[in-house]
Amino acid sequence: MLDIYIMGKRYQVPEGLTIQAAMEYCGYRLIRGCGCRAAFCGACGTVYNFKNDPTLRYALACQKLVEQDMYLTQIPFFPAAKPSYDLEKMEPTGEQILKIYPELLTCFGCNNCTKSCPQDLEVMWYMSDALRGDIKEVAIKSFDCIMCGLCAARCPQGLVPYNIALLCRRLYGRYVTPRSKHLDDRIAEIEEGKFDAEIKELQNMSLEELRQRFDKRKILKE
Amino acid sequence: MPYPSYMEESIRKVEATRERRLKEELPRIPVGERMPVLKAFHPDFIKACMRELLVGPNKGERTPNELADLLEGNSRIDPDKIDPELNSGVDYDVDVLVIGAGGAGASAALIAQETGADVLLVTKLRLGDANTVGFQGGTQAADRPDDSPALHYLDTMGGARFTNDPKLVEALVKDAPSVIKWLESLGVIWDKKPDGSMAEVALAGECVPRCHCCRDYTGLEVMRVLRDEVKSRDINYVEFAPAIELIMDEKGQVAGAVLVNLETNEPLLVRAKAVVTATGGIGRLHIQGFPTTNHYGATADGLVLAYRVGCPIVDLDTMQYHPTCAAYPLAILGLLVTEKTRGLGAQVLNIDGEQFAHPLEPRDVLAACIIRECKERGKGIATPTGQVGVWLDSPRIDMIHGEGTVAQNLPAMVRQFGRFNIDITKEPMLIYPALHYQNGGIKFSPDGSTPIPGLFACGEVEGGVHGKNRLGGNSTLDLFVFGRRAGRTAAKYAKGVKPGKLTLDHVRQWQRELKEAGLAEVRPISPKLLPDYARQPYDYLADYVTERLQPGQIKVA
């Protein structure tokens, strides 16, 4: 058994539990701070340190295993700016980002955001890319962001890096990536009814005919 | 060495056979010959784990015990205490109420608003906390020049052994390319080739690669964009407020819902001209004790609500067990390992490093083959906790497509196993089937309407699209296709409907039926809302404490 401290109170839990499972083992019924339990949703971003080591560490409670003398808490919610905007009326430029998030200019590069990221993203570097208007770089560097909010919680300037990155990615996906011609062509063909007869034919087949058609279909790999 | 040292011998065998397996391809089982392995090994065919429903629209049909308990469950509310409020002053009065804010609910809310409706979006946890956010593999759409919606139709039907509703499948495959386009117009960054054309991956059971991905964070990418759009358009949403009962009107139309503030227990009454249920799936019921890939809130709430207003459910007897979910380490037991891993070339191997099934069999067949390999043939690998598993040979991907492919295409998997010191670019993953998806659901039509006027459904909560086995990449497509359709149909319906006086008589009627069937005393309260993971092994309370603190609480058998 391990000794852990939840909000300062000591508990004993078996080894091998995640922070989330350890809290449940101690009797906590989670409402906030618990989501997909698989490191995708960002609901359980948390901080911890140790009884005799005050250095703050960052993790997802659904992934991090408890260790002896860990001090644990929950950060179920952190206030963050999220302005409304209409993507259709925007341009993929640095000026656009600054118009929505003018406070971006106040970033002084302390790097707390990067240190707090449980996905190990280069948050401060994508913030400086955003400042320079390099939307593509922001999109690439921030792509694996699960929006847990720890970067915003630790920013001394009150910036919300994850929302700034989201705006950049949306502009990149909407305006910068080249269009897929075969997708547009297919949508037009469907609207013209090009496949209706063939689908109708499949719907009118007997089960046996349909089964044969299925088993004989050619399978492409590439 | 992150795996226990006794597994090393088996891993060496996997490495030793890798060169030979580069060219080795096992035959697929023809659709007509799948039943024997399914009947012998798929969990759906274990009869003792299901029972006949004794009340409600599906009376006499079989469903897993865990779901049957909830469908036959008792309401939380006393209609006599809420009725007076219903027609004097509700908390929200809207055109369209959308219950559930995952991919389907968010899509429905956006389109309903575009169609001119005043929309309220409510959700049990946070906006976007849903199974959607965890889907990795991607979304199907037959957009390649050598593909066609007809082939997508054929694959989808065949994958389910032709048990799907053909009209629903037609809607699914024909809307698919425009769904991909719609999401891109909202800013989703799809994986593309340098010229801009979509880079599709082949998933199990499809004859042309047609799965669209955003690395292996597809659901995350789509959900964060939809969530941002809901917020940007100022659509009214309420978090931590699950629906605990639908409200009807005297004409028999669904006309709102009773919500509860999950933190304060305050009830919230919503009057709505149309209600879209998009509450998702069922994994956290842990059917047959299986671990699950599902979100914390996946407790079948929408099925319970719809069932109580008389809406039938289809294909109640089938669940999807995703064949490849983490079996080791224990901390991530049940973690989804995307089918894209197999689509890119990872094979499934036994303790000897040998293949025993084609990696791209449909999910039900591959899950049954893995269970057979472990349970009947004893060729699985046991973990220290007794959980058994087989290998998924991810390093083979880089051998086929070049070094760096795994890192580029499966960053979530690399990161998640990496947290436990397992490098999946060099070592295989130990996997076993886990409860993944509710194949069936609320009976509904291609336009999103259900047999009950005023009630609409979309996403995992509805049924018929996937019959008795769903193909990978089709559920996420289902979210957006039927989310959009249900949102549009509900908004149009709301414009024309003449609501009557609100009532909760259906709840009174339901409790009477339960009592007559002798079930009221022995069934739990439902919907369940959250799983019971908090360990509470204490037994010290006086009986009167339970009675006084929870008046009307019914003893659970």
Side-chain angles (χ1 to χ4, degrees), chain A residues 142-161:
Chain A
S142 73
F143 194 82
D144 296 357
C145 169
I146 57 174
M147 303 182 72
C148 68
L150 285 173
C151 53
R154 292 297 283 163
C155 178
Q157 300 295 78
L159 303 182
V160 186

Side-chain angles (χ1 to χ4, degrees), chain A residues 75-177:
Chain A
I75 309 178
F77 179 81
F78 192 84
K82 166 42 212 155
S84 292
Y85 42 73
D86 182 352
L87 207 67
E88 289 302 307
K89 292 180 183 148
M90 295 171 90
E91 285 175 10
T93 62
E95 290 77 29
Q96 183 72 72
I97 307 296
L98 283 173
K99 211 165 147 186
I100 305 286
Y101 291 108
E103 65 271 26
L104 178 55
L105 287 166
T106 68
C107 171
F108 58 80
C110 71
N111 209 31
N112 270 323
C113 48
T114 303
K115 283 188 238 167
S116 68
C117 180
Q119 295 283 87
D120 296 322
L121 304 183
E122 295 283 1
V123 184
M124 189 192 74
W125 290 120
Y126 79 59
M127 290 291 275
S128 78
D129 292 328
L131 256 174
R132 288 200 319 277
D134 192 342
I135 285 175
K136 182 179 180 183
E137 267 308 306
V138 182
I140 292 169
K141 289 199 181 92
S142 73
F143 194 82
D144 296 357
C145 169
I146 57 174
M147 303 182 72
C148 68
L150 285 173
C151 53
R154 292 297 283 163
C155 178
Q157 300 295 78
L159 303 182
V160 186
Y162 64 85
N163 274 342
I164 295 171
L166 176 60
L167 174 60
C168 291
R169 284 194 307 273
R170 290 190 66 187
L171 289 170
Y172 182 70
R174 170 71 181 82
Y175 292 107
V176 184
T177 57

Side-chain angles (χ1 to χ4, degrees), chain B residues 66-107:
Chain B
E66 296 85 351
L67 177 57
D69 281 350
L70 298 183
L71 290 178
E72 294 172 349
N74 288 278
S75 175
R76 271 188 176 70
I77 63 170
D78 180 345
D80 291 339
K81 293 181 181 166
I82 291 181
D83 250 0
E85 307 284 323
L86 276 183
N87 294 293
S88 57
V90 291
D91 299 281
Y92 299 92
D93 195 348
V94 296
D95 295 333
V96 176
L97 167 67
V98 180
I99 304 172
S107 301

Side-chain angles (χ1 to χ4, degrees), chain A residues 32 85 145 170 178 217, chain B residues 142 155 192 224 228-229 263:
Chain A
R32 291 193 180 244
Y85 42 73
C145 169
R170 290 190 66 187
R217 79 207 199 289
Chain B
D155 285 347
K192 289 182 171 181
R224 61 195 177 189
D228 195 51
E229 187 65 10
E263 292 167 313

Side-chain angles (χ1 to χ4, degrees), chain A residues 24-25 27 30 32 38 82 84-85 119 143 145 170 174 178 182 184 186 196 217 220-222, chain B residues 25 142-144 155 174 181 185-186 192 207 224 228-229 232 234 263 296 416 419 535-536:
Chain A
E24 288 169 339
Y25 181 87
L30 303 178
R32 291 193 180 244
K82 166 42 212 155
S84 292
Y85 42 73
Q119 295 283 87
F143 194 82
C145 169
R170 290 190 66 187
R174 170 71 181 82
H182 67 79
D184 293 338
R186 180 53 43 83
D196 291 355
R217 79 207 199 289
L220 297 177
K221 288 195 189 120
E222 294 292 333
Chain B
E25 184 172 352
D143 59 347
R144 274 173 42 149
D155 285 347
K174 281 165 72 173
K181 178 91 181 166
S185 75
L186 291 171
K192 289 182 171 181
C207 63
R224 61 195 177 189
D228 195 51
E229 187 65 10
S232 278
D234 297 324
E263 292 167 313
Y296 190 45
Q416 289 176 353
R419 285 187 175 114
R535 198 177 62 105
Q536 296 281 339

Side-chain angles (χ1 to χ4, degrees), chain B residues 77 79 82-83 86 246-247 258 502-508:
Chain B
I77 63 170
I82 291 181
D83 250 0
L86 276 183
L246 293 174
I247 296 171
V258 182
L502 302 187
T503 168
L504 288 166
D505 264 348
H506 63 287
V507 178
R508 292 188 183 88

